[in-house]
């Protein structure tokens, strides 16, 4: 199966969970400021790294659901950057899914461009490297947030969120389709 199909398949899983959570909780995440979303992604990535290091989960959930969480919170972050945070839930499930789909599509388009230029180098990487790269992007994002977005040469936080999403999707693809880790 080619990358685009694999990407679409794991993104469909992420969207399905997002949709189910919209049903259960509504768009309660709309109250989160972007920096809080960044911290939520940090929690997920840090847990993945902890599980990779320790090899055991006492909570019972593994790495896969955490990567799904990074994808979904990454899209939430992009939504929050566009719309700003709200004082209360202000999106219907349909509106939230429409804007989710917009950012999922944008992120996939970015992946296609980078995948072309980098010749699918991600396939030769270890899942643990995606974790480390996501954590690095989180620290970059936090620094940009501390600078109130006033960078000299760096891309904005939106580019970092899209990269985090794509690294998480690559991890999901490797875990789902059982691709061999290169030594």
């Amino acid at each position: 199966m080619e990358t685009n199909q694999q990407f679409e398949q794991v993104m469909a899983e992420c969207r399905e969970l997002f949709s189910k959570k919209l049903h259960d909780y509504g768009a309660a995440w709309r109250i989160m400021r972007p920096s809080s979303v960044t911290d939520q992604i940090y929690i997920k990535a840090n847990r993945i790294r902890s599980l990779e290091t320790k090899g055991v989960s006492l909570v019972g959930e593994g790495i896969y659901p955490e990567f799904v969480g990074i994808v979904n919170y990454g899209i939430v972050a992009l939504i929050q950057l566009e719309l700003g945070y709200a004082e209360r839930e202000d999106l219907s499930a349909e509106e939230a899914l429409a804007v989710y789909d917009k950012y999922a599509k944008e992120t996939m388009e970015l992946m296609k461009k980078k995948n072309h230029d980098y010749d699918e180098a991600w396939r030769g990487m270890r899942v643990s490297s995606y974790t480390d790269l996501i954590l690095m992007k989180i620290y970059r994002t936090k620094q940009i947030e501390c600078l109130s977005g006033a960078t000299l040469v760096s891309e904005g936080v939106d580019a970092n969120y899209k990269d985090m999403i794509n690294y998480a999707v690559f991890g999901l693809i490797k875990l789902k389709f059982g691709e061999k880790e290169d030594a």
Side-chain angles (χ1 to χ4, degrees):
M1 187 180 290
E2 73 170 85
T3 299
N4 293 349
Q5 293 170 312
Q6 290 173 324
F7 191 99
E8 288 172 356
Q9 190 170 341
V10 297
M11 283 301 293
E13 288 178 28
C14 295
R15 185 187 190 277
E16 181 179 351
L17 180 62
F18 186 83
S19 178
K20 287 177 179 176
K21 287 192 175 202
L22 274 172
H23 174 270
D24 291 352
Y25 308 128
W29 47 265
R30 285 288 293 130
I31 68 156
M32 294 180 77
R33 292 170 283 185
S35 59
S36 297
V37 182
T38 301
D39 286 343
Q40 187 62 35
I41 297 168
Y42 168 75
I43 290 168
K44 302 264 177 218
N46 197 60
R47 182 163 187 274
I48 293 169
R49 188 169 173 153
S50 173
L51 292 174
E52 289 169 344
T53 303
K54 294 174 186 170
V56 140
S57 168
L58 298 182
V59 176
E61 291 183 348
I63 292 170
Y64 196 92
E66 299 296 356
F67 275 127
V68 171
I70 290 171
V71 169
N72 286 342
Y73 275 113
I75 292 177
V76 163
L78 292 168
I79 294 168
Q80 297 300 80
L81 286 176
E82 177 187 344
L83 301 179
Y85 66 91
E87 295 300 324
R88 59 178 177 71
E89 182 181 334
D90 65 347
L91 292 178
S92 69
E94 295 77 23
E95 291 167 326
L97 286 170
V99 73
Y100 181 100
D101 291 342
K102 170 188 168 183
Y103 284 111
K105 181 179 179 187
E106 280 184 19
T107 303
M108 183 172 180
E109 291 306 313
L110 175 65
M111 180 278 300
K112 286 178 184 178
K113 290 174 186 174
K114 286 188 174 187
N115 213 28
H116 172 271
D117 289 357
Y118 289 93
D119 286 330
E120 296 207 333
W122 68 271
R123 289 200 183 268
M125 296 170 61
R126 298 171 186 94
V127 172
S128 60
S129 293
Y130 307 138
T131 307
D132 291 349
L133 288 166
I134 291 167
L135 283 165
M136 179 191 66
K137 293 287 183 176
I138 290 166
Y139 285 116
R140 286 182 177 183
T141 299
K142 286 183 172 196
Q143 181 63 30
I144 294 169
E145 289 169 347
C146 287
L147 294 171
S148 300
T151 60
L152 299 176
V153 296
S154 303
E155 297 176 296
V157 293
D158 60 330
N160 283 290
Y161 286 133
K162 287 177 182 175
D163 285 345
M164 289 179 223
I165 294 166
N166 280 328
Y167 289 132
V169 169
F170 293 155
L172 290 167
I173 289 171
K174 285 246 182 173
L175 294 170
K176 180 175 183 67
F177 296 102
E179 294 192 14
K180 181 181 160 286
E181 293 274 304
D182 288 343

